[in-house]
Amino acid sequence: IECGEKEAENIVLEALFQRLGKSLSRLEYFVPKEEYYEICLKELILYDIQEKEYEFANLFLEEYQWSIENKNILYHQFALLLKGLLVYGKQKKIEESLCYLEKALEMTYKEWKGFSLEKKCLCVQEIQILLCIYYFRWKKQEVSLEKVIDLLKYMDSYYTDKRERAKILPQCAWLAGNICEREANYGMALQLYQAGKTCLIESGSLGIMDKLLIGERECLQRLNKKEEMK
């Protein structure tokens, strides 16, 4: 790519920029029609999953998989991430979802179960998969607060671009806050929710602001901080 012998696809460029803690959105470039179509499919699938339109999401996913058959491994990793989310969304099968997610992460990091975040450069897609794994394990009460906090600290220190931080740091903060609430550590949970909220405000994004505000209000009530609730 650096020597100009090969053109990098959008998903590859995005991953390379994110591994450096930067955002591809600041680079102006043209995307081929075929690649733009795949980007649109990804957005449609994610939107339908969010809106719980799982049948439409599944149809678009089938089309996406057909389109990326001979493409870069990052495309197939994303497809497995989507399968994991769909299985949980449609059938609430946590174990099956975890199988898809763990298989997806192993496509680029086979040693992920024992890796230290300090020694890795992860793109947002890999962090999203890891966070989903933590989320489902949290559902089963099988994830420690320490692991989620480590991921949060990694995003906070390594991702210097506000847009890239906002894609995943607020979700990390929300999950860590929920774990703290489960342990009745409302003071720390409040700090985490507020950190996620600050990240969204700095980036000009709404994201999961509603969930962070609900968590913040719950903690303020628990801590009897009525003045801060106004």
Side-chain angles (χ1 to χ4, degrees), residues 147-159:
K147 284 186 175 293
V148 184
I149 291 293
D150 282 347
L151 190 57
L152 181 63
K153 288 180 178 177
Y154 174 83
M155 285 295 301
D156 192 40
S157 62
Y158 191 71
Y159 274 73

Side-chain angles (χ1 to χ4, degrees), residues 117-139:
L117 285 171
E118 295 178 359
K119 299 177 182 179
K120 296 293 181 182
C121 296
L122 303 177
C123 67
V124 169
Q125 181 166 289
E126 291 160 324
I127 297 174
Q128 286 174 330
I129 295 169
L130 187 57
L131 185 60
C132 286
I133 290 172
Y134 287 167
Y135 173 76
F136 289 128
R137 289 188 174 176
W138 167 68
K139 287 275 188 180

Side-chain angles (χ1 to χ4, degrees), residues 4-16:
E5 297 169 2
K6 179 182 179 181
E7 289 189 12
E9 297 169 298
N10 174 269
I11 196 169
V12 175
L13 277 177
E14 190 173 50
L16 288 172

Side-chain angles (χ1 to χ4, degrees), residues 69-108:
E69 187 174 355
N70 299 311
K71 295 220 167 184
N72 186 282
I73 193 172
L74 291 169
Y75 288 97
H76 298 279
Q77 184 181 59
F78 183 75
L80 283 177
L81 165 60
L82 293 175
K83 281 187 177 181
L85 296 178
L86 272 172
V87 166
Y88 179 74
K90 289 174 67 176
Q91 303 168 350
K92 298 296 185 270
K93 293 183 178 180
I94 292 179
E95 290 297 335
E96 191 173 340
S97 295
L98 280 169
C99 285
Y100 280 120
L101 294 169
E102 291 177 5
K103 185 178 178 181
L105 197 53
E106 286 169 4
M107 293 178 82
T108 51

